[in-house]
Short mmCIF file of all heavy atoms in Angstrom, two decimals:
data_model
loop_
_atom_site.label_atom_id
_atom_site.label_comp_id
_atom_site.label_asym_id
_atom_site.label_seq_id
_atom_site.Cartn_x
_atom_site.Cartn_y
_atom_site.Cartn_z
N MET N 1 -41.73 25.71 -20.90
CA MET N 1 -42.60 25.78 -22.09
C MET N 1 -42.70 24.40 -22.75
O MET N 1 -41.67 23.77 -22.96
CB MET N 1 -41.99 26.75 -23.09
CG MET N 1 -42.79 28.01 -23.26
SD MET N 1 -42.30 28.97 -24.69
CE MET N 1 -40.55 29.23 -24.43
N PRO N 2 -43.87 23.95 -23.11
CA PRO N 2 -43.99 22.70 -23.88
C PRO N 2 -43.26 22.83 -25.21
O PRO N 2 -43.18 23.93 -25.77
CB PRO N 2 -45.49 22.56 -24.12
CG PRO N 2 -46.14 23.45 -23.12
CD PRO N 2 -45.16 24.54 -22.82
N SER N 3 -42.74 21.72 -25.74
CA SER N 3 -41.88 21.80 -26.92
C SER N 3 -42.62 22.35 -28.13
O SER N 3 -42.03 22.96 -29.00
CB SER N 3 -41.28 20.44 -27.23
OG SER N 3 -42.32 19.50 -27.45
N GLY N 4 -43.93 22.13 -28.22
CA GLY N 4 -44.70 22.64 -29.34
C GLY N 4 -44.85 24.14 -29.32
O GLY N 4 -45.27 24.74 -30.31
N ASP N 5 -44.50 24.75 -28.20
CA ASP N 5 -44.66 26.20 -28.06
C ASP N 5 -43.38 26.95 -28.31
O ASP N 5 -43.26 28.11 -27.95
CB ASP N 5 -45.18 26.53 -26.66
CG ASP N 5 -46.67 26.23 -26.56
OD1 ASP N 5 -47.26 25.85 -27.58
OD2 ASP N 5 -47.23 26.37 -25.46
N ARG N 6 -42.39 26.29 -28.90
CA ARG N 6 -41.12 26.97 -29.16
C ARG N 6 -41.25 27.87 -30.38
O ARG N 6 -41.97 27.56 -31.32
CB ARG N 6 -40.02 25.94 -29.42
CG ARG N 6 -39.67 25.20 -28.18
CD ARG N 6 -38.16 24.96 -28.09
NE ARG N 6 -37.90 24.13 -26.90
CZ ARG N 6 -37.50 22.87 -26.98
NH1 ARG N 6 -37.28 22.32 -28.15
NH2 ARG N 6 -37.30 22.18 -25.90
N HIS N 7 -40.49 28.95 -30.34
CA HIS N 7 -40.41 29.81 -31.51
C HIS N 7 -39.51 29.13 -32.54
O HIS N 7 -38.51 28.51 -32.20
CB HIS N 7 -39.84 31.18 -31.12
CG HIS N 7 -40.11 32.24 -32.14
ND1 HIS N 7 -39.41 32.32 -33.31
CD2 HIS N 7 -41.01 33.25 -32.15
CE1 HIS N 7 -39.87 33.35 -34.01
NE2 HIS N 7 -40.84 33.93 -33.34
N GLN N 8 -39.89 29.25 -33.82
CA GLN N 8 -39.12 28.54 -34.86
C GLN N 8 -37.74 29.13 -35.08
O GLN N 8 -36.86 28.46 -35.62
CB GLN N 8 -39.91 28.55 -36.17
CG GLN N 8 -40.26 29.96 -36.65
CD GLN N 8 -41.06 29.95 -37.94
OE1 GLN N 8 -40.97 29.01 -38.70
NE2 GLN N 8 -41.84 31.00 -38.17
N LYS N 9 -37.54 30.39 -34.70
CA LYS N 9 -36.22 31.02 -34.89
C LYS N 9 -35.38 30.86 -33.63
O LYS N 9 -35.80 31.26 -32.54
CB LYS N 9 -36.38 32.51 -35.21
CG LYS N 9 -37.22 32.78 -36.45
CD LYS N 9 -36.52 32.31 -37.70
CE LYS N 9 -37.36 32.67 -38.94
NZ LYS N 9 -36.82 32.04 -40.15
N LYS N 10 -34.18 30.30 -33.81
CA LYS N 10 -33.33 29.96 -32.67
C LYS N 10 -32.98 31.18 -31.82
O LYS N 10 -33.00 31.11 -30.59
CB LYS N 10 -32.04 29.30 -33.17
CG LYS N 10 -31.74 27.99 -32.46
CD LYS N 10 -30.31 27.56 -32.69
CE LYS N 10 -30.01 27.37 -34.17
NZ LYS N 10 -28.59 27.10 -34.46
N ASP N 11 -32.63 32.30 -32.48
CA ASP N 11 -32.24 33.51 -31.75
C ASP N 11 -33.38 34.00 -30.86
O ASP N 11 -33.18 34.41 -29.72
CB ASP N 11 -31.88 34.63 -32.72
CG ASP N 11 -30.58 34.36 -33.45
OD1 ASP N 11 -29.93 33.34 -33.11
OD2 ASP N 11 -30.23 35.14 -34.34
N VAL N 12 -34.60 33.97 -31.43
CA VAL N 12 -35.77 34.46 -30.70
C VAL N 12 -36.09 33.51 -29.56
O VAL N 12 -36.38 33.95 -28.43
CB VAL N 12 -36.97 34.61 -31.65
CG1 VAL N 12 -38.21 35.06 -30.90
CG2 VAL N 12 -36.65 35.61 -32.76
N GLU N 13 -36.02 32.21 -29.83
CA GLU N 13 -36.28 31.21 -28.79
C GLU N 13 -35.33 31.38 -27.61
O GLU N 13 -35.73 31.30 -26.44
CB GLU N 13 -36.17 29.81 -29.41
CG GLU N 13 -36.27 28.65 -28.43
CD GLU N 13 -37.60 28.57 -27.71
OE1 GLU N 13 -38.60 29.09 -28.23
OE2 GLU N 13 -37.63 27.99 -26.62
N ALA N 14 -34.07 31.66 -27.92
CA ALA N 14 -33.08 31.85 -26.86
C ALA N 14 -33.42 33.08 -26.01
O ALA N 14 -33.31 33.06 -24.79
CB ALA N 14 -31.68 32.00 -27.45
N ALA N 15 -33.87 34.14 -26.67
CA ALA N 15 -34.25 35.36 -25.95
C ALA N 15 -35.49 35.12 -25.09
O ALA N 15 -35.59 35.64 -23.98
CB ALA N 15 -34.50 36.51 -26.93
N LEU N 16 -36.42 34.31 -25.60
CA LEU N 16 -37.62 33.99 -24.84
C LEU N 16 -37.25 33.21 -23.58
O LEU N 16 -37.84 33.38 -22.51
CB LEU N 16 -38.60 33.17 -25.69
CG LEU N 16 -39.28 33.94 -26.84
CD1 LEU N 16 -40.06 32.98 -27.72
CD2 LEU N 16 -40.20 35.02 -26.30
N LYS N 17 -36.25 32.34 -23.72
CA LYS N 17 -35.80 31.54 -22.58
C LYS N 17 -35.18 32.45 -21.52
O LYS N 17 -35.41 32.28 -20.33
CB LYS N 17 -34.79 30.49 -23.06
CG LYS N 17 -34.92 29.22 -22.25
CD LYS N 17 -34.33 28.03 -22.96
CE LYS N 17 -35.41 27.15 -23.55
NZ LYS N 17 -34.91 26.31 -24.64
N ARG N 18 -34.40 33.46 -21.99
CA ARG N 18 -33.79 34.41 -21.04
C ARG N 18 -34.89 35.19 -20.31
O ARG N 18 -34.77 35.47 -19.12
CB ARG N 18 -32.87 35.37 -21.78
CG ARG N 18 -31.57 34.72 -22.24
CD ARG N 18 -30.54 35.75 -22.66
NE ARG N 18 -30.82 36.36 -23.96
CZ ARG N 18 -30.47 35.83 -25.12
NH1 ARG N 18 -29.82 34.68 -25.16
NH2 ARG N 18 -30.77 36.43 -26.26
N ALA N 19 -35.96 35.53 -21.04
CA ALA N 19 -37.06 36.26 -20.42
C ALA N 19 -37.71 35.41 -19.34
O ALA N 19 -38.01 35.90 -18.24
CB ALA N 19 -38.09 36.65 -21.48
N GLU N 20 -37.92 34.13 -19.64
CA GLU N 20 -38.53 33.23 -18.65
C GLU N 20 -37.64 33.08 -17.43
O GLU N 20 -38.13 33.07 -16.30
CB GLU N 20 -38.76 31.85 -19.28
CG GLU N 20 -40.04 31.77 -20.07
CD GLU N 20 -40.45 30.33 -20.33
OE1 GLU N 20 -39.56 29.48 -20.57
OE2 GLU N 20 -41.65 30.06 -20.30
N GLU N 21 -36.33 32.98 -17.67
CA GLU N 21 -35.40 32.81 -16.56
C GLU N 21 -35.39 34.06 -15.67
O GLU N 21 -35.12 33.98 -14.48
CB GLU N 21 -33.98 32.51 -17.08
CG GLU N 21 -33.82 31.05 -17.43
CD GLU N 21 -32.61 30.79 -18.33
OE1 GLU N 21 -31.78 31.69 -18.51
OE2 GLU N 21 -32.54 29.67 -18.87
N ALA N 22 -35.71 35.21 -16.27
CA ALA N 22 -35.76 36.47 -15.51
C ALA N 22 -37.09 36.62 -14.77
O ALA N 22 -37.31 37.60 -14.08
CB ALA N 22 -35.54 37.65 -16.44
N GLY N 23 -37.99 35.65 -14.95
CA GLY N 23 -39.26 35.67 -14.21
C GLY N 23 -40.42 36.23 -15.00
O GLY N 23 -41.50 36.41 -14.45
N LEU N 24 -40.21 36.51 -16.28
CA LEU N 24 -41.31 37.03 -17.09
C LEU N 24 -42.12 35.86 -17.64
O LEU N 24 -41.65 34.73 -17.73
CB LEU N 24 -40.75 37.87 -18.25
CG LEU N 24 -39.97 39.11 -17.80
CD1 LEU N 24 -39.35 39.80 -19.00
CD2 LEU N 24 -40.85 40.06 -17.04
N LYS N 25 -43.35 36.18 -18.01
CA LYS N 25 -44.25 35.15 -18.50
C LYS N 25 -44.26 35.16 -20.03
O LYS N 25 -44.48 36.21 -20.64
CB LYS N 25 -45.66 35.44 -17.97
CG LYS N 25 -46.54 34.22 -17.94
CD LYS N 25 -47.87 34.57 -17.32
CE LYS N 25 -48.90 33.58 -17.83
NZ LYS N 25 -50.25 34.00 -17.63
N VAL N 26 -44.01 34.00 -20.63
CA VAL N 26 -44.04 33.88 -22.09
C VAL N 26 -45.30 33.12 -22.47
O VAL N 26 -45.52 31.99 -22.03
CB VAL N 26 -42.79 33.14 -22.61
CG1 VAL N 26 -42.88 32.94 -24.13
CG2 VAL N 26 -41.53 33.93 -22.25
N THR N 27 -46.15 33.76 -23.26
CA THR N 27 -47.43 33.18 -23.63
C THR N 27 -47.51 32.99 -25.13
O THR N 27 -47.35 33.95 -25.88
CB THR N 27 -48.59 34.10 -23.18
OG1 THR N 27 -48.42 34.43 -21.82
CG2 THR N 27 -49.92 33.42 -23.36
N ARG N 28 -47.78 31.78 -25.56
CA ARG N 28 -47.96 31.52 -26.98
C ARG N 28 -49.39 31.89 -27.35
O ARG N 28 -50.34 31.38 -26.77
CB ARG N 28 -47.73 30.02 -27.25
CG ARG N 28 -48.11 29.60 -28.64
CD ARG N 28 -46.85 29.46 -29.48
NE ARG N 28 -47.15 29.73 -30.86
CZ ARG N 28 -46.74 28.95 -31.88
NH1 ARG N 28 -46.04 27.89 -31.64
NH2 ARG N 28 -47.04 29.28 -33.09
N LYS N 29 -49.50 32.83 -28.31
CA LYS N 29 -50.82 33.30 -28.68
C LYS N 29 -50.77 33.73 -30.13
O LYS N 29 -50.71 34.93 -30.44
CB LYS N 29 -51.21 34.48 -27.77
CG LYS N 29 -52.69 34.77 -27.75
CD LYS N 29 -52.93 35.97 -26.86
CE LYS N 29 -54.37 36.41 -26.92
NZ LYS N 29 -54.55 37.71 -26.27
N GLN N 30 -50.71 32.75 -31.00
CA GLN N 30 -50.55 33.03 -32.43
C GLN N 30 -51.76 33.78 -32.98
O GLN N 30 -52.90 33.42 -32.76
CB GLN N 30 -50.39 31.72 -33.20
CG GLN N 30 -50.06 31.93 -34.66
CD GLN N 30 -48.62 31.53 -34.96
OE1 GLN N 30 -48.10 30.60 -34.39
NE2 GLN N 30 -47.99 32.24 -35.86
N ASN N 31 -51.45 34.88 -33.66
CA ASN N 31 -52.51 35.71 -34.24
C ASN N 31 -51.88 36.54 -35.35
O ASN N 31 -51.22 37.53 -35.08
CB ASN N 31 -53.14 36.59 -33.15
CG ASN N 31 -54.20 37.50 -33.73
OD1 ASN N 31 -54.73 37.26 -34.81
ND2 ASN N 31 -54.51 38.56 -33.01
N GLY N 32 -52.05 36.13 -36.59
CA GLY N 32 -51.43 36.82 -37.70
C GLY N 32 -49.92 36.73 -37.61
O GLY N 32 -49.38 35.64 -37.54
N HIS N 33 -49.25 37.89 -37.58
CA HIS N 33 -47.79 37.90 -37.51
C HIS N 33 -47.31 37.80 -36.08
O HIS N 33 -46.11 37.81 -35.83
CB HIS N 33 -47.24 39.16 -38.16
CG HIS N 33 -47.40 39.18 -39.64
ND1 HIS N 33 -46.83 38.23 -40.46
CD2 HIS N 33 -48.09 40.01 -40.45
CE1 HIS N 33 -47.17 38.49 -41.72
NE2 HIS N 33 -47.94 39.57 -41.73
N THR N 34 -48.22 37.74 -35.14
CA THR N 34 -47.83 37.65 -33.74
C THR N 34 -47.65 36.20 -33.32
O THR N 34 -48.52 35.37 -33.55
CB THR N 34 -48.90 38.32 -32.84
OG1 THR N 34 -49.04 39.68 -33.23
CG2 THR N 34 -48.50 38.25 -31.38
N TRP N 35 -46.50 35.91 -32.73
CA TRP N 35 -46.24 34.56 -32.23
C TRP N 35 -46.82 34.40 -30.83
O TRP N 35 -47.36 33.38 -30.46
CB TRP N 35 -44.74 34.30 -32.21
CG TRP N 35 -44.38 32.98 -31.60
CD1 TRP N 35 -44.29 31.78 -32.25
CD2 TRP N 35 -44.07 32.71 -30.24
NE1 TRP N 35 -43.96 30.80 -31.35
CE2 TRP N 35 -43.81 31.34 -30.12
CE3 TRP N 35 -43.99 33.52 -29.08
CZ2 TRP N 35 -43.47 30.74 -28.90
CZ3 TRP N 35 -43.65 32.93 -27.87
CH2 TRP N 35 -43.40 31.55 -27.79
N GLY N 36 -46.63 35.44 -30.05
CA GLY N 36 -47.08 35.38 -28.67
C GLY N 36 -46.61 36.62 -27.94
O GLY N 36 -46.21 37.60 -28.55
N LEU N 37 -46.67 36.57 -26.61
CA LEU N 37 -46.36 37.73 -25.80
C LEU N 37 -45.36 37.39 -24.70
O LEU N 37 -45.36 36.28 -24.18
CB LEU N 37 -47.63 38.25 -25.13
CG LEU N 37 -48.83 38.59 -26.02
CD1 LEU N 37 -50.04 38.91 -25.14
CD2 LEU N 37 -48.52 39.76 -26.93
N VAL N 38 -44.51 38.38 -24.39
CA VAL N 38 -43.71 38.31 -23.18
C VAL N 38 -44.36 39.30 -22.21
O VAL N 38 -44.47 40.48 -22.51
CB VAL N 38 -42.25 38.70 -23.44
CG1 VAL N 38 -41.42 38.59 -22.16
CG2 VAL N 38 -41.64 37.80 -24.52
N VAL N 39 -44.81 38.81 -21.07
CA VAL N 39 -45.60 39.63 -20.16
C VAL N 39 -44.87 39.87 -18.85
O VAL N 39 -44.29 38.95 -18.27
CB VAL N 39 -46.95 38.93 -19.86
CG1 VAL N 39 -47.83 39.83 -18.99
CG2 VAL N 39 -47.67 38.57 -21.15
N CYS N 40 -44.89 41.14 -18.40
CA CYS N 40 -44.44 41.48 -17.06
C CYS N 40 -45.69 41.67 -16.21
O CYS N 40 -46.40 42.66 -16.35
CB CYS N 40 -43.60 42.75 -17.07
SG CYS N 40 -43.10 43.25 -15.41
N CYS N 41 -45.95 40.70 -15.34
CA CYS N 41 -47.19 40.74 -14.56
C CYS N 41 -47.27 41.94 -13.60
O CYS N 41 -48.31 42.58 -13.55
CB CYS N 41 -47.39 39.42 -13.81
SG CYS N 41 -47.64 38.04 -14.93
N PRO N 42 -46.20 42.25 -12.84
CA PRO N 42 -46.28 43.39 -11.92
C PRO N 42 -46.64 44.70 -12.63
O PRO N 42 -47.37 45.52 -12.08
CB PRO N 42 -44.90 43.47 -11.29
CG PRO N 42 -44.29 42.12 -11.48
CD PRO N 42 -44.90 41.57 -12.74
N CYS N 43 -46.13 44.91 -13.84
CA CYS N 43 -46.38 46.16 -14.57
C CYS N 43 -47.61 46.06 -15.47
O CYS N 43 -48.12 47.07 -15.93
CB CYS N 43 -45.20 46.51 -15.46
SG CYS N 43 -43.71 46.88 -14.58
N ASN N 44 -48.04 44.83 -15.74
CA ASN N 44 -49.12 44.61 -16.70
C ASN N 44 -48.74 45.17 -18.07
O ASN N 44 -49.56 45.76 -18.76
CB ASN N 44 -50.43 45.22 -16.20
CG ASN N 44 -51.63 44.53 -16.83
OD1 ASN N 44 -51.52 43.41 -17.30
ND2 ASN N 44 -52.76 45.20 -16.83
N GLU N 45 -47.46 44.99 -18.42
CA GLU N 45 -46.98 45.41 -19.74
C GLU N 45 -46.54 44.18 -20.50
O GLU N 45 -46.22 43.15 -19.90
CB GLU N 45 -45.79 46.36 -19.59
CG GLU N 45 -46.21 47.78 -19.26
CD GLU N 45 -45.02 48.71 -19.14
OE1 GLU N 45 -43.99 48.47 -19.81
OE2 GLU N 45 -45.12 49.67 -18.38
N PHE N 46 -46.52 44.28 -21.84
CA PHE N 46 -46.10 43.12 -22.61
C PHE N 46 -45.34 43.53 -23.86
O PHE N 46 -45.44 44.67 -24.32
CB PHE N 46 -47.32 42.27 -23.00
CG PHE N 46 -48.31 42.97 -23.87
CD1 PHE N 46 -48.16 42.97 -25.25
CD2 PHE N 46 -49.38 43.65 -23.31
CE1 PHE N 46 -49.07 43.64 -26.06
CE2 PHE N 46 -50.30 44.32 -24.12
CZ PHE N 46 -50.14 44.31 -25.49
N HIS N 47 -44.56 42.60 -24.37
CA HIS N 47 -43.90 42.77 -25.66
C HIS N 47 -44.48 41.74 -26.61
O HIS N 47 -44.56 40.56 -26.29
CB HIS N 47 -42.38 42.57 -25.52
CG HIS N 47 -41.68 42.49 -26.83
ND1 HIS N 47 -41.45 43.61 -27.60
CD2 HIS N 47 -41.22 41.43 -27.54
CE1 HIS N 47 -40.84 43.23 -28.72
NE2 HIS N 47 -40.70 41.92 -28.71
N ARG N 48 -44.90 42.20 -27.78
CA ARG N 48 -45.47 41.31 -28.78
C ARG N 48 -44.34 40.69 -29.60
O ARG N 48 -43.51 41.40 -30.15
CB ARG N 48 -46.40 42.12 -29.69
CG ARG N 48 -47.43 41.31 -30.42
CD ARG N 48 -48.23 42.19 -31.33
NE ARG N 48 -48.96 43.25 -30.62
CZ ARG N 48 -50.17 43.06 -30.07
NH1 ARG N 48 -50.76 41.92 -30.17
NH2 ARG N 48 -50.76 44.05 -29.45
N VAL N 49 -44.30 39.37 -29.67
CA VAL N 49 -43.23 38.67 -30.40
C VAL N 49 -43.71 38.34 -31.81
O VAL N 49 -44.75 37.71 -32.00
CB VAL N 49 -42.84 37.36 -29.67
CG1 VAL N 49 -41.71 36.66 -30.41
CG2 VAL N 49 -42.43 37.66 -28.22
N ASN N 50 -42.93 38.78 -32.79
CA ASN N 50 -43.25 38.52 -34.18
C ASN N 50 -42.90 37.06 -34.52
O ASN N 50 -41.86 36.56 -34.14
CB ASN N 50 -42.44 39.47 -35.06
CG ASN N 50 -43.00 39.59 -36.45
OD1 ASN N 50 -43.35 38.60 -37.08
ND2 ASN N 50 -43.10 40.82 -36.92
N CYS N 51 -43.78 36.37 -35.25
CA CYS N 51 -43.49 34.96 -35.56
C CYS N 51 -42.58 34.83 -36.77
O CYS N 51 -41.88 33.83 -36.92
CB CYS N 51 -44.78 34.16 -35.75
SG CYS N 51 -45.84 34.74 -37.05
N THR N 52 -42.56 35.82 -37.64
CA THR N 52 -41.64 35.78 -38.79
C THR N 52 -40.92 37.11 -38.89
O THR N 52 -41.13 37.88 -39.83
CB THR N 52 -42.40 35.49 -40.10
OG1 THR N 52 -43.51 36.42 -40.20
CG2 THR N 52 -42.94 34.08 -40.15
N PRO N 53 -40.06 37.42 -37.91
CA PRO N 53 -39.37 38.71 -37.92
C PRO N 53 -38.44 38.83 -39.12
O PRO N 53 -37.85 37.83 -39.53
CB PRO N 53 -38.58 38.71 -36.61
CG PRO N 53 -38.46 37.28 -36.21
CD PRO N 53 -39.64 36.57 -36.78
N ARG N 54 -38.34 40.05 -39.67
CA ARG N 54 -37.45 40.27 -40.80
C ARG N 54 -36.02 40.00 -40.36
O ARG N 54 -35.22 39.45 -41.09
CB ARG N 54 -37.60 41.71 -41.31
CG ARG N 54 -37.37 41.82 -42.79
CD ARG N 54 -37.78 43.20 -43.27
NE ARG N 54 -39.17 43.51 -42.95
CZ ARG N 54 -39.64 44.75 -42.78
NH1 ARG N 54 -38.83 45.78 -42.91
NH2 ARG N 54 -40.89 44.96 -42.50
N SER N 55 -35.70 40.43 -39.16
CA SER N 55 -34.38 40.16 -38.59
C SER N 55 -34.55 39.48 -37.25
O SER N 55 -35.09 40.08 -36.31
CB SER N 55 -33.61 41.47 -38.43
OG SER N 55 -32.52 41.26 -37.54
N THR N 56 -34.12 38.22 -37.15
CA THR N 56 -34.29 37.51 -35.88
C THR N 56 -33.42 38.14 -34.81
O THR N 56 -33.78 38.15 -33.64
CB THR N 56 -33.92 36.02 -36.02
OG1 THR N 56 -32.59 35.92 -36.53
CG2 THR N 56 -34.88 35.31 -36.95
N GLY N 57 -32.26 38.70 -35.21
CA GLY N 57 -31.39 39.36 -34.24
C GLY N 57 -32.07 40.57 -33.62
O GLY N 57 -31.97 40.80 -32.42
N ASP N 58 -32.77 41.35 -34.45
CA ASP N 58 -33.48 42.53 -33.95
C ASP N 58 -34.60 42.14 -33.01
O ASP N 58 -34.80 42.76 -31.97
CB ASP N 58 -34.07 43.33 -35.12
CG ASP N 58 -33.03 44.25 -35.74
OD1 ASP N 58 -31.88 44.25 -35.25
OD2 ASP N 58 -33.38 44.96 -36.69
N GLU N 59 -35.35 41.11 -33.39
CA GLU N 59 -36.47 40.67 -32.54
C GLU N 59 -35.92 40.17 -31.20
O GLU N 59 -36.47 40.49 -30.15
CB GLU N 59 -37.26 39.56 -33.25
CG GLU N 59 -38.49 39.08 -32.49
CD GLU N 59 -39.51 40.19 -32.24
OE1 GLU N 59 -39.93 40.84 -33.20
OE2 GLU N 59 -39.88 40.40 -31.07
N ALA N 60 -34.83 39.40 -31.27
CA ALA N 60 -34.22 38.89 -30.04
C ALA N 60 -33.75 40.06 -29.17
O ALA N 60 -33.91 40.03 -27.94
CB ALA N 60 -33.04 37.97 -30.37
N LYS N 61 -33.20 41.11 -29.80
CA LYS N 61 -32.70 42.26 -29.06
C LYS N 61 -33.85 42.99 -28.36
O LYS N 61 -33.73 43.45 -27.24
CB LYS N 61 -31.98 43.22 -30.02
CG LYS N 61 -30.69 43.77 -29.45
CD LYS N 61 -29.97 44.64 -30.46
CE LYS N 61 -29.15 43.83 -31.44
NZ LYS N 61 -28.58 44.67 -32.52
N LYS N 62 -34.99 43.10 -29.06
CA LYS N 62 -36.16 43.76 -28.46
C LYS N 62 -36.65 42.99 -27.24
O LYS N 62 -37.03 43.58 -26.23
CB LYS N 62 -37.29 43.86 -29.49
CG LYS N 62 -37.07 44.98 -30.50
CD LYS N 62 -38.29 45.10 -31.39
CE LYS N 62 -37.90 45.47 -32.82
NZ LYS N 62 -38.93 45.12 -33.78
N ILE N 63 -36.65 41.66 -27.35
CA ILE N 63 -37.06 40.84 -26.21
C ILE N 63 -36.09 41.01 -25.06
O ILE N 63 -36.48 41.16 -23.90
CB ILE N 63 -37.16 39.35 -26.64
CG1 ILE N 63 -38.28 39.18 -27.67
CG2 ILE N 63 -37.43 38.46 -25.43
CD1 ILE N 63 -38.26 37.85 -28.39
N ASP N 64 -34.78 41.03 -25.39
CA ASP N 64 -33.77 41.22 -24.34
C ASP N 64 -33.92 42.57 -23.67
O ASP N 64 -33.73 42.69 -22.46
CB ASP N 64 -32.37 41.07 -24.93
CG ASP N 64 -31.96 39.62 -25.12
OD1 ASP N 64 -32.55 38.74 -24.45
OD2 ASP N 64 -31.07 39.35 -25.93
N ASN N 65 -34.25 43.61 -24.45
CA ASN N 65 -34.47 44.94 -23.87
C ASN N 65 -35.64 44.92 -22.89
O ASN N 65 -35.57 45.48 -21.81
CB ASN N 65 -34.75 45.97 -24.97
CG ASN N 65 -33.47 46.45 -25.62
OD1 ASN N 65 -32.39 46.38 -25.02
ND2 ASN N 65 -33.57 46.92 -26.84
N PHE N 66 -36.72 44.26 -23.29
CA PHE N 66 -37.89 44.16 -22.43
C PHE N 66 -37.51 43.40 -21.15
O PHE N 66 -37.90 43.80 -20.05
CB PHE N 66 -39.03 43.44 -23.16
CG PHE N 66 -40.33 43.45 -22.41
CD1 PHE N 66 -41.20 44.52 -22.49
CD2 PHE N 66 -40.68 42.36 -21.62
CE1 PHE N 66 -42.40 44.52 -21.78
CE2 PHE N 66 -41.87 42.36 -20.91
CZ PHE N 66 -42.74 43.44 -21.00
N THR N 67 -36.75 42.32 -21.32
CA THR N 67 -36.31 41.53 -20.16
C THR N 67 -35.47 42.37 -19.23
O THR N 67 -35.62 42.31 -18.00
CB THR N 67 -35.51 40.30 -20.64
OG1 THR N 67 -36.35 39.51 -21.49
CG2 THR N 67 -35.05 39.46 -19.46
N ARG N 68 -34.57 43.21 -19.80
CA ARG N 68 -33.69 44.04 -18.99
C ARG N 68 -34.52 45.08 -18.23
O ARG N 68 -34.26 45.39 -17.08
CB ARG N 68 -32.65 44.73 -19.88
CG ARG N 68 -31.36 45.01 -19.14
CD ARG N 68 -30.27 45.46 -20.12
NE ARG N 68 -30.09 44.52 -21.22
CZ ARG N 68 -30.07 44.87 -22.51
NH1 ARG N 68 -30.23 46.12 -22.86
NH2 ARG N 68 -29.88 43.97 -23.43
N ASN N 69 -35.53 45.63 -18.90
CA ASN N 69 -36.35 46.67 -18.28
C ASN N 69 -37.25 46.12 -17.18
O ASN N 69 -37.62 46.84 -16.26
CB ASN N 69 -37.24 47.35 -19.33
CG ASN N 69 -36.42 48.24 -20.24
OD1 ASN N 69 -35.33 48.66 -19.89
ND2 ASN N 69 -36.94 48.52 -21.43
N HIS N 70 -37.63 44.85 -17.29
CA HIS N 70 -38.65 44.32 -16.37
C HIS N 70 -38.15 43.16 -15.52
O HIS N 70 -38.82 42.79 -14.56
CB HIS N 70 -39.86 43.86 -17.18
CG HIS N 70 -40.60 45.02 -17.78
ND1 HIS N 70 -41.46 45.82 -17.05
CD2 HIS N 70 -40.57 45.53 -19.03
CE1 HIS N 70 -41.94 46.76 -17.85
NE2 HIS N 70 -41.42 46.62 -19.05
N GLY N 71 -36.99 42.57 -15.86
CA GLY N 71 -36.53 41.40 -15.13
C GLY N 71 -36.26 41.67 -13.65
O GLY N 71 -36.43 40.79 -12.82
N HIS N 72 -35.88 42.92 -13.33
CA HIS N 72 -35.47 43.23 -11.97
C HIS N 72 -36.60 43.15 -10.96
O HIS N 72 -36.38 42.87 -9.79
CB HIS N 72 -34.81 44.61 -11.91
CG HIS N 72 -35.72 45.71 -12.38
ND1 HIS N 72 -36.06 45.85 -13.70
CD2 HIS N 72 -36.37 46.68 -11.72
CE1 HIS N 72 -36.88 46.89 -13.82
NE2 HIS N 72 -37.09 47.41 -12.63
N HIS N 73 -37.83 43.42 -11.40
CA HIS N 73 -38.93 43.43 -10.43
C HIS N 73 -39.93 42.30 -10.66
O HIS N 73 -40.93 42.22 -9.98
CB HIS N 73 -39.66 44.78 -10.44
CG HIS N 73 -40.17 45.16 -11.79
ND1 HIS N 73 -39.73 46.26 -12.46
CD2 HIS N 73 -41.06 44.58 -12.61
CE1 HIS N 73 -40.34 46.33 -13.62
NE2 HIS N 73 -41.15 45.31 -13.75
N ALA N 74 -39.65 41.44 -11.67
CA ALA N 74 -40.60 40.38 -11.97
C ALA N 74 -40.58 39.32 -10.87
O ALA N 74 -39.57 39.15 -10.20
CB ALA N 74 -40.29 39.75 -13.31
ZN1 ZN W 101 -42.28 45.30 -15.33
#
């Protein structure tokens, strides 16, 4: 990911990195409260990443859950 495309919250950024390492696609697509998407191409499913999550730990956990559910076949 280019450095300008990093999430401002460290916890979320770390989870996005884990998603990328698992083979998922991280797309920066700012739109309102949405920072971008974590996409599983084989399933054509995605997780919407909040740019200002109330709890960064919760947002990171949701990304990790998506990574766990989709990392195996990505
Ligand atoms: Zn999948």
Side-chain angles (χ1 to χ4, degrees):
M1 249 193 305
S3 59
D5 283 356
R6 290 219 184 110
H7 198 284
Q8 57 181 335
K9 302 292 183 189
K10 231 196 301 173
D11 290 355
V12 177
E13 174 63 23
L16 290 172
K17 214 159 257 158
R18 287 194 285 275
E20 276 197 323
E21 278 162 12
L24 298 174
K25 202 176 156 197
V26 176
T27 309
R28 171 102 209 227
K29 198 182 174 191
Q30 187 109 35
N31 178 20
H33 290 299
T34 301
W35 175 87
L37 305 172
V38 181
V39 184
C40 177
C41 295
C43 295
N44 204 21
E45 280 181 30
F46 62 86
H47 170 75
R48 202 183 299 275
V49 181
N50 198 315
C51 59
T52 51
R54 211 170 303 154
S55 163
T56 56
D58 277 0
E59 183 60 55
K61 223 177 277 173
K62 282 186 216 159
I63 295 167
D64 280 339
N65 279 336
F66 187 85
T67 301
R68 209 170 307 130
N69 288 338
H70 291 282
H72 59 289
H73 56 243

